[in-house]
Amino acid sequence: MDNQEERRSGGRFLEESILFISVVKWFVLASITGAGVGLSTSVFLLALGYASDAAGRFHYFFLFLPLGMMLSALVIKDLAPEAEGHGTEKIIEAIHTRAARIEPLVAPIKFVATIFTIALGGAAGKEGPCAQIGGGIASSFSTLLRFDARDRRKLVICGISAGFASVFGTPIAGAIFGVEVLFVGSILYDVLFPSFVAGILSYEVSTSLGITYFERAIPAVPAFSGLYFVEVCIAGIVFGFCSFLLIEVLKRFEKLSSGLPWGMPVRALIGGGALALASLVLGTRYLGLGLDTIEDALAGAHVPAAAFFFKIVFTSVTLSFGGSGGIVTPIFFVGATAGSLYAMLTGLDPQLFSAIGMVSLLAGAANTPISASIMAAEFFGPQVTPYAALACVISYLITGHRSVYPSQVLAVTKSPTLVIESGKTMEEIKGAVFNPRSRSVTGKIIALINWVERSLKKREK
């Protein structure tokens, strides 16, 4: 019997041998990918910083934004249409629909187009291009090695993780982000190990090349109390609605742009002109990356009450009208300023709630509560993490079944009383069917609300 079992398994150590070979294989592949992505994103970040500093020497540099956005739209339209939009979304789409095949020209074209946009004042982020550069490098590497579709997807996900880790200096959150962002409600555990390797190597390479990263320990985090627990939960709800607002405004401007009768280069000229005119009135706070305002909010300094809303509009116009760049840095801006406003209205610590808002908006808008919670620890220290994680999960739930990444695929609904077909992308989901379980609290509350509405209508009649 023992001999039969041994023959059936192919040897006592077959399983361990295969797993050992797999670990070594993916360690090598992920290390090469991470190092390559770290080098490439470092070049991009240095070039973007140099271009932004050069443009910033001119007081009215943003008047050239229409030209910058038009050039961005032209190079993408003529050379690499896949590079359109905010980077990470196109990588997610490629993984789900094209077996992670990405044209080699996408990375360099995204590099150039994003510098045109952000350096001249476009309200966009830097992580989308880095994720697209990382995915493009990984896809080309997979083609060189003649990988099948499964291994290609795996390596491209490592490229996303490496790009995210190197742009923000968050190797752990970056690794988790790459495996969490593809599906809503599910994590790809089979890609976890190489994603960690790629993220850590990319971060270390970028650090060694002189890239510096943001870190700010929150000086005074209150001890746990029941009242503070409730206040953080309420903040999570507020940030969830802010995520909802960001996604819906972005959709409205995309619809507005697509409805215009002109090509994208002309629309980019119009959008850039509108942003330049708005900046003459509102100032340059809402242009570019907006890092100074994020720093002010996290330092507890005063920021305008409507800052989060203006940034949503500026970002939506930039990305919908031909500008190139990412969405996460604007999400950080919106979250930090919304957190500052919440703290001002409630009399709470603006530093703490700006930090919580910054990661909570990411959790809600991108459907990535785990990586956002880990990012809180990497950015602000472990003392903030319990509060931030709580707000992140609540924001993720409140945002509903929508996303700044329309190609995300729904794996699990956010409530068992909502019926939505799994396997659909966020873009395909048009609404949810309410299906209350018997004796559920949610069902009884909804029934009570419906009864009150019917009673009010009868009184009106």
Side-chain angles (χ1 to χ4, degrees):
M1 184 68 179
D2 288 343
N3 290 336
Q4 289 177 351
E5 288 295 329
E6 187 172 335
R7 285 195 300 269
R8 189 179 297 118
S9 65
R12 293 185 183 277
F13 302 107
L14 178 63
E15 180 182 356
E16 287 76 14
S17 299
I18 290 173
L19 292 175
F20 174 76
I21 294 168
S22 177
V23 167
V24 172
K25 166 190 169 182
W26 283 106
F27 176 81
V28 173
L29 292 172
S31 296
I32 295 171
T33 301
V37 173
L39 174 61
S40 302
T41 54
S42 296
V43 172
F44 167 75
L45 293 173
L46 291 170
L48 178 61
Y50 177 80
S52 298
D53 290 343
R57 295 193 185 105
F58 300 95
H59 188 64
Y60 292 103
F61 70 95
F62 56 87
L63 295 178
F64 293 97
L65 179 56
L67 176 63
M69 286 180 59
M70 186 180 71
L71 289 173
S72 173
L74 278 171
V75 297
I76 288 174
K77 176 179 176 290
D78 293 338
L79 299 175
E82 280 185 49
E84 186 180 4
H86 47 88
T88 307
E89 159 62 17
K90 290 297 181 181
I91 298 294
I92 296 171
E93 181 184 312
I95 290 171
H96 287 314
T97 63
R98 297 193 300 275
R101 290 189 176 276
I102 301 165
E103 291 297 324
L105 266 179
V106 166
I109 294 303
K110 193 68 177 179
F111 184 115
V112 173
T114 302
I115 289 178
F116 280 148
T117 298
I118 296 178
L120 293 174
K126 54 189 177 179
E127 86 300 326
C130 290
Q132 204 157 22
I133 289 168
I137 289 172
S139 179
S140 299
F141 188 28
S142 300
T143 300
L144 181 67
L145 297 177
R146 298 183 178 181
F147 278 179
D148 60 16
R150 178 171 178 160
D151 281 356
R152 175 185 290 274
R153 287 191 185 96
K154 200 168 180 177
L155 200 61
V156 169
I157 293 169
C158 292
I160 297 175
S161 298
F164 201 86
S166 63
V167 73
F168 291 124
T170 53
I172 308 303
I176 297 294
F177 183 86
V179 298
E180 186 182 21
V181 76
L182 299 174
F183 296 91
V184 177
S186 178
I187 287 183
L188 300 176
Y189 282 96
D190 61 322
V191 198
L192 203 54
F193 167 66
S195 286
F196 271 113
V197 173
I200 292 169
L201 260 294
S202 179
Y203 165 75
E204 293 296 339
V205 168
S206 295
T207 302
S208 68
L209 293 174
I211 303 298
T212 56
Y213 295 108
F214 161 84
E215 286 182 11
R216 178 183 288 278
I218 302 301
V221 179
F224 177 84
S225 68
L227 178 60
Y228 221 79
F229 187 79
V230 172
E231 289 168 336
V232 171
C233 289
I234 295 171
I237 295 171
V238 171
F239 299 139
F241 280 114
C242 287
S243 300
F244 172 90
L245 180 65
L246 168 64
I247 296 166
E248 292 302 314
V249 171
L250 184 59
K251 285 181 181 178
R252 295 300 181 271
F253 276 98
E254 287 172 351
K255 187 176 181 180
L256 174 63
S257 176
S258 62
L260 295 177
W262 306 289
M264 186 56 83
V266 176
R267 284 183 269 162
L269 196 63
I270 294 170
L275 292 175
L277 289 174
S279 298
L280 288 172
V281 178
L282 298 171
T284 59
R285 180 186 293 274
Y286 309 109
L287 295 174
L289 297 171
L291 299 180
D292 290 341
T293 301
I294 295 174
E295 289 275 9
D296 287 345
L298 293 171
H302 172 74
V303 295
F308 78 98
F309 179 74
F310 284 129
K311 187 64 174 182
I312 288 174
V313 174
F314 272 61
T315 302
S316 299
V317 173
T318 300
L319 296 179
S320 301
F321 283 79
S324 177
I327 191 72
V328 172
T329 309
I331 286 173
F332 287 162
F333 184 112
V334 174
T337 52
S340 176
L341 176 61
Y342 176 79
M344 181 183 72
L345 294 175
T346 56
L348 298 170
D349 180 9
Q351 289 182 277
L352 177 60
F353 280 89
S354 292
I356 293 174
M358 187 169 148
V359 293
S360 296
L361 258 287
L362 177 63
N367 290 301
T368 53
I370 298 175
S371 53
S373 300
I374 295 171
M375 184 174 285
E378 292 186 296
F379 274 160
F380 308 115
Q383 295 84 359
V384 177
T385 309
Y387 294 125
L390 179 64
C392 281
V393 174
I394 293 173
S395 175
Y396 159 77
L397 294 172
I398 291 295
T399 305
H401 298 88
R402 52 182 56 82
S403 175
V404 292
Y405 302 128
S407 295
Q408 279 182 324
V409 172
L410 179 67
V412 179
T413 59
K414 296 185 180 182
S415 171
T417 57
L418 293 174
V419 179
I420 303 174
E421 184 181 347
S422 61
K424 287 187 174 183
T425 65
M426 294 292 101
E427 190 173 28
E428 293 171 333
I429 295 173
K430 303 304 179 185
V433 176
F434 176 56
N435 183 29
R437 295 169 293 169
S438 60
R439 299 182 181 180
S440 71
V441 174
T442 304
K444 292 184 182 300
I445 293 173
I446 297 297
L448 178 60
I449 293 172
N450 290 335
W451 178 81
V452 171
E453 287 180 349
R454 288 194 298 269
S455 299
L456 291 173
K457 286 179 181 179
K458 286 180 180 179
R459 288 184 180 182
E460 289 174 0
K461 292 178 180 180

